[in-house]
Amino acid sequence: MRDGGSVAVIGGSIAGCAFASAAVRAGADEVVVLERTLGRLEDRGLGLCVHDERAVELRATGALPTGIAAHRLVRRRWVVRDPGAEADQAGRVFWEQPFPFHSYHWGLLWRGLREALPASVVYRQGETVTGVAAAGDRAEVRLAEGAAERFGLVVGADGYRSVVRRAVCPESRPHYAGYVCWRGHLDAGRLAAVDAAAGRPGESGAWSDAVTTVCFPGGSCVIYRIPGPDGPRVNWVLYAAPPRAGAPGAGAPRLDDPTSFPPGQVAGESAAHLEALLEREFPPYWAEVLRLTEPEHTLVQPIYDLETPRIASGRFLLGGDAATVVRPHNTSGAAKALQDADAFESAWRGAASPAELLRAYERARGPAGRELVALARRLGRAQVERTPPWAAMTGADVASWWREQLAGAPGIGGQATVPAGPPS
């Protein structure tokens, strides 16, 4: 755009940092990030993966800074408990597929994006945004202490409970999928003890380049290595229905109201339910791996999804989870947020006005987000809600089942970046 203008980015995590950098590269005169959290965001130690092809594209545009620690993964192994097999300690691998991804530590990825912010970006922590509204040819941002600030554009990168989304499409809310995930991470150096106890020396080394998916009736669990601030770690995500009403602990809120539960609060009925799943459904080796996770590194996340009819309106646009909430099965969340920021930069460069920018961004990212939501719903239903008879399936059966879930999509991990196209 000819007029650089001012941009407020609401939310300062992965999507927020990416959008702030993109705005500066595109030519914004002023960029302010408003992040409500006062603590260190890098303390979030959970893992995520980015498809190798998406990473190449994102690094080429500058959306993914170089030098951020990542762990190479090349294959995905699907494992089932098989009590009749002599080697059941680690289960039976009934299918293996290529998995060209690198895994990341959420905090290290965020730190890399935060450190890559141009010096001109003003990053303000402890700023809670209570609402946004149109103000003529500007956008007004209202803060918790009562102040109001005006900007040329406001980017909602404030996650699945987005305040900005209320201004763009107030009718859209995340929907509870009917199940939760238990998540955790642990020091990979502790795996040798599990190998020895199982009588399988070197077992953990054999899956260092793999995502292992443990399958059971009514759920599945993915386990893989990630880099960590103090050495390699193991990240795991277990999907299943919650116990009864689904509360992780006494007095927990309803799961049909978008929420999350901090690490260290998996207790009572939820902890007992997790242990029962490990004991009943998991090969013993993998159950012991998950049991190494310390309580402060274990949490429960209800699974939601959200598709919005639009992601831009007036002087507002949405990115990352504020625009669409995609179930994690698609392994596309981080790449999608970075692609959103890249599309924003591209749309800015090709637009003559804010209205043209928003139209180009909507064309580029609106349909892409909705397609990702649809794919992740299919994968969630197939891997949690309506699981097949895993133990009875051959490799050919699983390959056919997988193609059915993809329904023509080239794979998981997100889609190749599509140019925004000329303004209309």
Side-chain angles (χ1 to χ4, degrees):
M1 291 188 300
R2 290 184 292 272
D3 176 15
S6 59
V7 178
V9 179
I10 314 304
S13 61
I14 287 174
C17 287
F19 269 91
S21 290
V24 173
R25 289 194 300 266
D29 296 327
E30 176 190 7
V31 180
V32 176
V33 177
L34 302 172
E35 166 56 44
R36 64 184 178 87
T37 303
L38 275 171
R40 297 189 306 163
L41 274 69
E42 65 262 37
D43 285 343
R44 302 177 189 177
L46 299 176
L48 57 91
C49 296
V50 176
H51 193 286
D52 289 351
E53 291 180 1
R54 304 292 80 74
V56 169
E57 296 166 356
L58 292 165
R59 278 194 291 267
T61 65
L64 178 61
T66 59
I68 300 175
H71 180 84
R72 182 171 181 256
L73 299 165
V74 300
R75 58 201 174 102
R76 183 177 187 181
R77 311 183 312 160
W78 298 71
V79 173
V80 67
R81 179 170 178 162
D82 190 354
E86 187 176 331
D88 184 56
Q89 280 291 314
R92 176 172 60 84
V93 177
F94 62 94
W95 193 46
E96 187 168 303
Q97 63 183 146
F99 196 82
F101 285 74
H102 276 71
S103 64
Y104 292 82
H105 180 284
W106 191 101
L108 295 181
L109 177 59
W110 172 83
R111 186 189 303 173
L113 290 163
R114 175 75 173 84
E115 291 174 350
L117 285 177
S120 61
V121 173
V122 178
Y123 189 102
R124 291 158 47 185
Q125 288 192 261
E127 295 279 17
T128 299
V129 175
T130 58
V132 298
D137 64 350
R138 308 278 284 172
E140 185 173 270
V141 175
R142 299 164 183 164
L143 303 175
E145 69 272 16
E149 302 179 22
R150 293 188 175 185
F151 299 87
L153 283 173
V154 171
V155 175
D158 47 344
Y160 69 109
R161 303 186 78 171
S162 173
V163 170
V164 183
R165 190 193 305 122
R166 298 175 201 163
V168 176
C169 43
E171 72 278 17
S172 298
R173 280 179 55 84
H175 297 285
Y176 175 49
Y179 58 94
V180 303
C181 69
W182 285 260
R183 302 192 65 160
H185 57 99
L186 57 113
D187 180 358
R190 302 178 65 192
L191 293 173
V194 181
D195 292 356
R200 302 177 69 92
E203 177 69 26
S204 56
W207 55 272
S208 64
D209 64 351
V211 168
T212 298
T213 301
V214 177
C215 302
F216 54 91
S220 55
C221 177
V222 294
I223 307 162
Y224 57 93
R225 280 177 174 75
I226 62 173
D230 302 311
R233 300 189 69 77
V234 174
N235 183 77
W236 57 269
V237 188
L238 190 162
Y239 302 96
R244 297 205 301 272
R254 292 166 56 94
L255 295 181
D256 56 3
D257 179 36
T259 189
S260 61
F261 306 98
Q265 292 192 9
V266 180
E269 193 175 24
S270 184
H273 190 65
L274 173 59
E275 176 56 34
L277 285 172
L278 297 182
E279 182 66 28
R280 183 180 68 249
E281 308 289 3
F282 274 55
Y285 175 87
W286 295 107
E288 290 305 316
V289 169
L290 267 62
R291 288 185 181 118
L292 290 174
T293 312
E294 297 167 328
E296 62 267 29
H297 293 148
T298 307
L299 70 154
V300 174
Q301 290 181 336
I303 300 299
Y304 301 96
D305 54 31
L306 165 77
E307 56 181 329
T308 52
R310 58 195 168 277
I311 58 172
S313 177
R315 294 280 173 153
F316 305 101
L317 62 87
L318 305 172
D321 287 349
T324 51
V325 179
V326 180
R327 302 187 197 186
H329 311 288
N330 201 18
T331 322
S332 62
K336 190 261 184 188
L338 298 178
Q339 286 180 322
D340 286 351
D342 182 51
F344 169 67
E345 178 182 351
S346 177
W348 184 305
R349 292 183 186 278
S353 67
E356 281 189 6
L357 186 163
L358 267 63
R359 285 196 295 270
Y361 179 73
E362 178 77 54
R363 285 197 306 274
R365 300 307 297 164
R370 290 186 283 273
E371 288 171 13
L372 289 174
V373 171
L375 172 58
R377 281 177 178 160
R378 293 196 299 272
L379 294 172
R381 288 168 184 152
Q383 296 179 56
V384 184
E385 299 174 77
R386 305 168 192 164
T387 51
W390 307 106
M393 296 173 77
T394 65
D397 293 335
V398 188
S400 176
W401 166 84
W402 183 251
R403 288 192 297 271
E404 288 177 11
Q405 313 321 314
L406 293 181
I412 63 172
Q415 308 152 328
T417 300
V418 177
S424 59

